[in-house]
């Protein structure tokens, strides 16, 4: 779990370092029709992480459950690949993202909550909960934390691509 949390911090710091330097116009500008702005990407990350916490808390309040052996073999790292385009579930669509500073504040707060949840329950207990991921299927709670890091990495790459289209990478 420590390794997963270190990766979570590393990606988060890189993303915030990139995003916090952007002016309001560039932050909210879409690179092309049908592509998310940096503002929408950050808002989406907050929405997803908030949902993950809510679902994990619900599972942690229930009796322990185990994931099947084959499900444990699902590599959450596949989420980081930008080769496969995945449509976000409707509830995770970033509609009306807040301004940059508020968005960063929201995102940092939800990340701190996720890390507190990990510290409070630990890897053994997180492995006894099931998270229903729309793309990966059922994964345990520890794998869900790993997914969050790879999901953020995927969208960090997306931000870099978007900024490259503006000549601002």
């Amino acid at each position: 779990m420590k390794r997963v949390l270190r990766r979570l911090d590393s990606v988060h710091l890189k993303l915030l370092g990139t995003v916090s330097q952007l002016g309001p116009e560039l932050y909210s500008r879409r690179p092309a029709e049908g592509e998310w702005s940096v503002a929408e990407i950050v808002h989406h990350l907050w929405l997803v992480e908030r949902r993950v916490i809510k679902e994990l808390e619900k599972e942690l309040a229930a009796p322990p459950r185990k994931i099947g052996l084959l499900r444990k073999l699902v590599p959450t790292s596949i989420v980081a690949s930008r080769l496969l385009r995945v449509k976000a579930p409707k509830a995770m669509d970033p509609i009306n993202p807040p301004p940059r500073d508020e968005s960063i504040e929201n995102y940092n707060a939800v990340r701190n909550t996720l890390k507190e949840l990990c510290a409070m329950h630990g890897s053994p207990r997180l492995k006894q909960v099931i998270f229903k991921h729309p793309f990966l299927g059922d994964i345990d709670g520890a794998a869900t934390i790993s997914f969050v890091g790879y999901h953020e990495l995927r969208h960090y790459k997306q931000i870099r691509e978007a900024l490259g289209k503006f000549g601002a990478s």
Side-chain angles (χ1 to χ4, degrees), residues 127-140:
K127 288 180 180 180
Q128 296 175 334
V129 300
I130 297 174
F131 179 81
K132 295 183 182 307
H133 187 277
F135 175 68
L136 298 172
D138 289 352
I139 57 177
D140 70 37

Side-chain angles (χ1 to χ4, degrees), residues 11 14 80 148-158:
V11 175
K14 284 196 297 191
V148 167
Y150 285 118
H151 180 251
E152 186 175 30
L153 178 58
R154 173 190 188 88
H155 288 295
Y156 172 70
K157 292 174 185 178
Q158 183 182 7

